[in-house]
Amino acid sequence: MTLNKRKEAIEAVQYFIMNREKNIRNRSMLIENTVGSDSVKNWSMTQLHILSLVKRHPCQLNNTSLATELNLSKSAITKAINTLIQHHLVVTAKKTDNLKEIYYEATDQGKQLATAHDKLHYQAEEKYYELFSHFNDEEIDVIIRFLNAWLRTSESK
């Protein structure tokens, strides 16, 4: 690869990151307009994914199952879920046959935010499918390899 190609690739990555950050800000504004500013803060993707899962599976998920489902540590789940509980988006529940385990259920406000997130998630997924339709399987393999290498690079810092 020539130096010019590397520079072009770096510029493309930088543009991608800046555009992604802009899209995240726009998504936050869209969620705010959908559910009202009272319920909006800078929600992390982890928090929004947890909220979505809890909405779909009320009183069926605990920290362990959420950690497994999202491939995150239990401490990351605990931190995220505590914020959701603090903002009255999720409540705790116990099953009558197991009073030790704590499960989660979305509040009405939490369900509204989860629905807005799910809608945006679906729209993004549709855009990705459309984008990937322009590449053959070998090119997609290169994209996957690049993204996985990028992830490993960012995790090692």
Side-chain angles (χ1 to χ4, degrees):
M1 182 187 309
T2 67
L3 185 59
N4 283 342
K5 270 296 179 199
R6 286 187 178 141
K7 284 183 179 181
E8 187 179 337
I10 289 170
E11 288 174 5
V13 166
Q14 289 171 337
Y15 179 75
F16 172 83
I17 291 169
M18 289 187 303
N19 195 44
R20 179 80 175 133
E21 289 171 354
K22 177 183 162 193
N23 288 338
I24 289 169
R25 284 190 303 275
N26 289 342
R27 182 175 46 237
S28 292
M29 289 191 318
L30 184 59
I31 288 174
E32 181 176 343
N33 291 336
T34 302
V35 299
S37 60
D38 296 351
S39 62
V40 174
K41 69 176 215 72
N42 291 324
W43 300 110
S44 71
M45 292 307 287
T46 298
Q47 291 164 332
L48 292 171
H49 286 310
I50 288 171
L51 193 54
S52 182
L53 285 169
V54 168
K55 176 185 164 252
R56 273 183 285 182
H57 307 285
C59 299
Q60 295 178 20
L61 299 171
N62 59 20
N63 281 19
T64 302
S65 57
L66 285 166
T68 301
E69 180 72 26
L70 295 171
N71 196 27
L72 294 170
S73 69
K74 288 181 190 176
S75 61
I77 296 298
T78 299
K79 182 178 177 183
I81 204 82
N82 285 341
T83 301
L84 294 171
I85 290 169
Q86 179 184 358
H87 285 86
H88 309 289
L89 298 172
V90 170
V91 293
T92 60
K94 293 186 178 186
K95 295 182 178 181
T96 55
D97 61 337
N98 182 355
L99 297 176
K100 187 177 179 183
E101 291 285 335
I102 296 174
Y103 295 87
Y104 303 106
E105 184 173 7
T107 63
D108 288 342
Q109 187 179 14
K111 289 175 187 174
Q112 193 176 11
L113 182 56
T115 299
H117 165 73
D118 290 343
K119 181 180 177 185
L120 292 172
H121 196 274
Y122 175 78
Q123 289 170 347
E125 198 171 274
E126 289 298 309
K127 286 181 185 178
Y128 294 144
Y129 280 124
E130 198 281 321
L131 173 66
F132 290 143
S133 72
H134 299 284
F135 299 92
N136 63 39
D137 287 350
E138 292 80 23
E139 292 169 321
I140 299 257
D141 286 340
V142 171
I143 293 168
I144 293 168
R145 232 178 55 232
F146 171 78
L147 292 173
N148 286 333
W150 189 355
L151 182 61
R152 283 189 302 277
T153 300
S154 65
E155 287 175 344
S156 65
K157 291 184 178 182

